Amino acid sequence: MTLSEENYLKAIYHLEQLSGSGVSTNALAEEMQTKASSATDMVKKLADKQMLIHVPYQGATLSDAGRSHAVKVIRKHRLWETFLVEKLNFKWDEVHDVAEQLEHIKSEKLIDELDRFLEFPKYDPHGDPIPDKNGKFNTIEKITLTQALENKSYRCIGVKDDSSQFLKYLDSNQIGLGTSFEVVHKEPFDQSVKIKLKDKELVVSQSVAKNLFLETL
Amino acid sequence: MTLSEENYLKAIYHLEQLSGSGVSTNALAEEMQTKASSATDMVKKLADKQMLIHVPYQGATLSDAGRSHAVKVIRKHRLWETFLVEKLNFKWDEVHDVAEQLEHIKSEKLIDELDRFLEFPKYDPHGDPIPDKNGKFNTIEKITLTQALENKSYRCIGVKDDSSQFLKYLDSNQIGLGTSFEVVHKEPFDQSVKIKLKDKELVVSQSVAKNLFLETL
DNA sequence: ACCTTTTTTTAGTTTTGTCTAAAAATATAA
DNA sequence: TTATATTTTTAGACAAAACTAAAAAAAGGT
Ligand SMILES: [Mn+2]
Ligand SMILES: [Mn+2]
Ligand SMILES: [Mn+2]
Ligand SMILES: [Mn+2]
């Protein structure tokens, strides 16, 4: 698998998770920031390599081999992100781009030893589950802040958007993984949410609310 | 700098160190395990990018920018090798191929934090000096076992050949970095050397002797 | 100096991954 | 159902990095 093929596999895996079904050429091109014709080319190549099934005009569906490889790349990405934060003083908004490079390093021993070195972490710095050596990982149900109820308390356990912009916004408002707060008010007009954390009140927009994963306290 | 350009820069740097002068196209092709025509293509490209000076039919000489970049890649290679051995339970014969991949990861913060995490090591697992952030590194004079004198004692401080084959040979004979021994006899007929280490005597061939770096005790 | 061998460069091709433009298939909507 | 819009695929081109084959330059030997 080349670097490019791995990135496409990861993108297809991601889109399959979101939609629950096959992945359209346009959606894939959009996700990969490229043209539909390029996506078609790669889908055909990956179909040749038995990584997915492609029915022309009907989209692509990962094979077991393709899904397994995608999960391996995701495992590497999340382990490296964890390493960068835990050992190399990176902030959670600085790790993604470097992990995008590191996830393509080829060495089974490297990644398994890294896993051991980090003491087999279950979640990465953004709250995403880390697949183990066999590709298994936790999928606890997470709600977003848009789904939370007034006067109830929650803990932040993940982010849907892991862009540097969003993460820095959270930092500047003292919200991180593990942060607990109470939902004070949900504004019907613009779907903004007022929360109380550490005795401070804060209003967050809908764009923020829908990207915060919570667990009920 | 692309991965390929970086590998060529490293090779040219290496050959310049060995010969002390400019690098011929053939030597470069040999080092890179490729054809002379490919070497010419890349030398021209690197000359365009001001990484080296190329006089047709006269070979290539690194510019300051080229040498500086080569040293940066070498710094990364050696820091990663150190990380693999110190933290991830790799043996010294297992690190090279993985480091060849890791040395191309682009992130200044990554490598400087790795350096700090490893507590600014001065030498890699093969005894090669690690350039610091500014590209400076120790160049202590090293002799090879072929140059050692009878009835004198030495300590192994490096290897010239870092192939897995050679390193495994050393392992199986209990020779590693820091190992001390006495030179018992130098055989004029075939340049083999008999040494005494930990009360055991061992005869090593000339091929072995010329790849072992020593310091006088 | 002249011929031969070796080294280096040039010219043209291949593969991978991208692109634009155009054609074909599918979806939508009057 | 038929026209229109959208999506997807095909066709052809390009850049990077490799290759082979051939031409050109330099080095060696007599
Ligand atoms: Mn990430
Ligand atoms: Mn992550
Ligand atoms: Mn090495
Ligand atoms: Mn080394």
Side-chain angles (χ1 to χ4, degrees), chain A residues 2 4 8 34-35 37-38 41-42 45 57:
Chain A
T2 67
S4 198
Y8 271 94
T34 185
K35 301 300 155 108
S37 50
S38 302
D41 287 346
M42 186 55 88
K45 197 178 165 199
Y57 295 99

Side-chain angles (χ1 to χ4, degrees), chain A residues 47-180:
Chain A
D48 278 352
K49 293 197 175 189
Q50 321 262 37
M51 290 291 121
L52 52 78
I53 287 150
H54 179 222
V55 184
Y57 295 99
Q58 299 296 127
T61 315
L62 288 178
S63 67
D64 287 351
R67 187 173 313 104
S68 160
H69 197 94
V71 168
K72 281 197 171 78
V73 176
I74 288 165
R75 164 174 161 81
K76 293 199 271 183
H77 184 99
R78 294 180 180 167
L79 279 172
W80 280 117
E81 284 190 342
T82 305
F83 171 71
L84 294 175
V85 167
E86 296 289 313
K87 306 293 183 182
L88 298 195
N89 297 332
F90 277 63
K91 307 282 172 49
W92 69 340
D93 64 291
E94 298 175 312
V95 297
H96 185 76
D97 292 350
V98 184
E100 284 292 309
Q101 299 178 62
L102 287 163
E103 72 188 4
H104 302 291
I105 302 291
K106 278 152 191 57
S107 166
E108 186 114 9
K109 179 173 170 100
L110 172 62
I111 206 64
D112 291 337
E113 286 291 340
L114 185 64
D115 197 12
R116 178 201 53 73
F117 184 60
L118 298 170
E119 300 175 75
F120 306 103
K122 292 269 183 295
Y123 297 97
D124 85 357
H126 310 109
D128 294 313
I130 301 176
D132 69 14
K133 196 171 161 47
N134 303 311
K136 303 260 175 270
F137 56 94
N138 295 344
T139 45
I140 53 173
E141 47 150 343
K142 301 173 284 192
I143 62 166
T144 63
L145 180 48
T146 48
Q147 301 164 291
L149 306 174
E150 284 183 354
N151 302 316
K152 291 227 167 200
S153 286
Y154 299 92
R155 180 186 292 120
C156 174
I157 57 167
V159 290
K160 187 179 261 175
D161 174 1
D162 63 359
S163 72
S164 185
Q165 268 211 320
F166 180 56
L167 298 175
K168 277 179 171 153
Y169 165 84
L170 295 180
D171 281 345
S172 69
N173 288 290
Q174 273 97 51
I175 301 173
L177 290 199
T179 303
S180 299

